[in-house]
Amino acid sequence: MAVKSSKSEIKTTTAKATKARLFFLSLTGQVMSANPDGSDLKVIVNEGKRLPDGIVVDTAAGHLYWTNMGNPSANDGFIERADFDGKNVTHIVPAGATFTPKQLQLDEKNRRLYWCDREGMRVMRASVDGSNLETLVDTSEGDSRPGKDIRKWCVGIALDVEAGKVYWTQKGPDNAGDGRIFRANLEIPKGQTAADRKDIELLYEGLPEPIDLELDLANRTIYWTDRGDPPRGNTVNRAPMDPAQGNGKKEPEIVFDHLMEGIGIALDRKGGRMFLTDLGGSVYSANLDGSNKKTVLMAEGNLTGIVYTEIPAA
């Protein structure tokens, strides 16, 4: 006797398996990949000394994007893209469209790349295919590019897309205590230009040499690396995104120290941890409050940008 199937069927959905992964850069021209504990280290792109600096992951499209500074005195910086395995390297922003692109961020919602152009003295963006290139902030005050005034150099960048804000660092001269962090709207106010916009806010000043930025939006906190001399430099700092509303706590808090020329920072917000790189060749991890510090990798060259992501498992 045949058994009738039930009118109500149980439907199951299988979530796509993912794996945590770090992607980071070496000034020797390498794009590297590793597990968060440093295992399974791979060089996935090796292009020679083009001075790569900032890196982001587009999980939806399966792409990595990274900046190449090129020759800082020449107008030859560019941005590239590749698959997660390093294949299909493609130029997105061609050489000469940006001087020395530094930290890079992705607005996944609107499909745009944002970066700071150091000697170009500006904050820039483009669509992920390289089209619609534009300057959002021009700090040159009329100086010719490449800029000689280090105080005007833009380096680190972070996005709060929902609030419509972009954050960036201007590091200032070495160990001058002249570093600053700014914020402005993602869109230039009507009737204004990148050079004269009036919506720029100075959030923090008097910093040693602020480099890369990340935002913990849930807790309204900025994290950044600082290259200046100890005790305040070669550190990771955090501070309120909104200093005036930061419960009176306006001074940055040092949560990690003893970096060797700290550069890259990436947050694992879900896991409550951060990953860091320095020019001394190390990758570090720690909780967001600086506890549970670990050296993940050592002696891997002059490391710059880093990103943490969860990509589809093979």
Side-chain angles (χ1 to χ4, degrees), residues 78-99:
F78 56 100
I79 297 176
E80 292 183 288
R81 184 189 74 199
D83 299 337
F84 289 152
D85 59 5
K87 296 179 180 177
N88 299 314
V89 175
T90 305
H91 277 64
I92 298 300
V93 175
T98 180
F99 266 83

Side-chain angles (χ1 to χ4, degrees), residues 26-290:
S26 168
L27 287 179
T28 55
Q30 296 178 328
V31 181
M32 291 182 270
S33 172
N35 290 326
D37 64 0
S39 62
D40 193 32
L41 175 64
K42 300 175 182 178
V43 175
I44 59 173
V45 178
N46 192 351
E47 294 189 302
K49 200 169 183 179
R50 297 180 176 183
L51 304 184
D53 189 85
I55 186 167
V56 291
V57 172
D58 184 352
T59 53
H63 291 149
L64 304 170
Y65 293 87
W66 67 94
T67 61
N68 289 278
M69 293 185 287
N71 182 346
S73 64
N75 187 15
D76 63 352
F78 56 100
I79 297 176
E80 292 183 288
R81 184 189 74 199
D83 299 337
F84 289 152
D85 59 5
K87 296 179 180 177
N88 299 314
V89 175
T90 305
H91 277 64
I92 298 300
V93 175
T98 180
F99 266 83
T100 43
K102 297 290 287 179
Q103 191 178 11
L104 182 68
Q105 298 286 1
L106 171 67
D107 172 3
E108 293 187 68
K109 179 180 178 182
N110 298 297
R111 312 302 298 157
R112 286 170 170 168
L113 296 166
Y114 287 75
W115 66 94
C116 276
D117 182 355
R118 190 177 65 190
E119 275 81 357
M121 302 172 289
R122 54 195 170 184
V123 177
M124 303 185 74
R125 74 178 175 192
S127 298
V128 292
D129 63 359
S131 63
N132 302 309
L133 181 70
E134 58 184 317
T135 296
L136 296 180
V137 179
D138 183 342
T139 65
S140 69
E141 298 179 314
D143 291 356
S144 61
R145 298 182 173 88
K148 303 300 182 184
D149 186 348
I150 299 175
R151 197 169 186 269
K152 297 177 181 180
W153 287 1
C154 303
V155 179
I157 190 169
L159 304 176
D160 182 356
V161 174
E162 293 305 314
K165 299 287 185 180
V166 57
Y167 294 70
W168 72 95
T169 64
Q170 291 176 216
K171 86 174 191 71
D174 294 353
N175 301 306
D178 205 12
R180 294 167 290 167
I181 298 176
F182 296 89
R183 172 171 66 190
N185 294 321
L186 285 174
E187 304 302 330
I188 299 173
K190 189 175 181 180
Q192 299 175 27
T193 70
D196 67 10
R197 56 189 300 171
K198 303 298 191 293
D199 62 331
I200 295 174
E201 301 174 71
L202 173 61
L203 299 181
Y204 295 97
E205 60 183 333
L207 307 175
E209 293 179 59
I211 306 296
D212 282 4
L213 283 175
E214 285 292 329
L215 300 179
D216 178 359
L217 295 174
N219 295 297
R220 301 296 296 171
T221 302
I222 310 173
Y223 287 78
W224 69 91
T225 52
D226 203 302
R227 277 186 68 182
D229 284 345
R232 293 182 61 208
N234 271 310
T235 55
V236 175
N237 301 259
R238 67 179 179 183
M241 289 171 59
D242 309 293
Q245 290 83 42
N247 298 320
K249 187 177 182 181
K250 297 184 179 181
E251 289 300 315
E253 174 190 6
I254 295 174
V255 294
F256 198 109
D257 56 13
H258 291 91
L259 295 172
M260 296 184 67
E261 302 291 329
I263 302 290
I265 181 169
L267 301 186
D268 170 14
R269 296 166 183 85
K270 186 169 63 175
R273 57 184 174 167
M274 57 184 167
F275 295 90
L276 318 164
T277 58
D278 63 20
L279 292 181
S282 296
V283 178
Y284 310 90
S285 69
N287 294 336
L288 291 180
D289 63 0

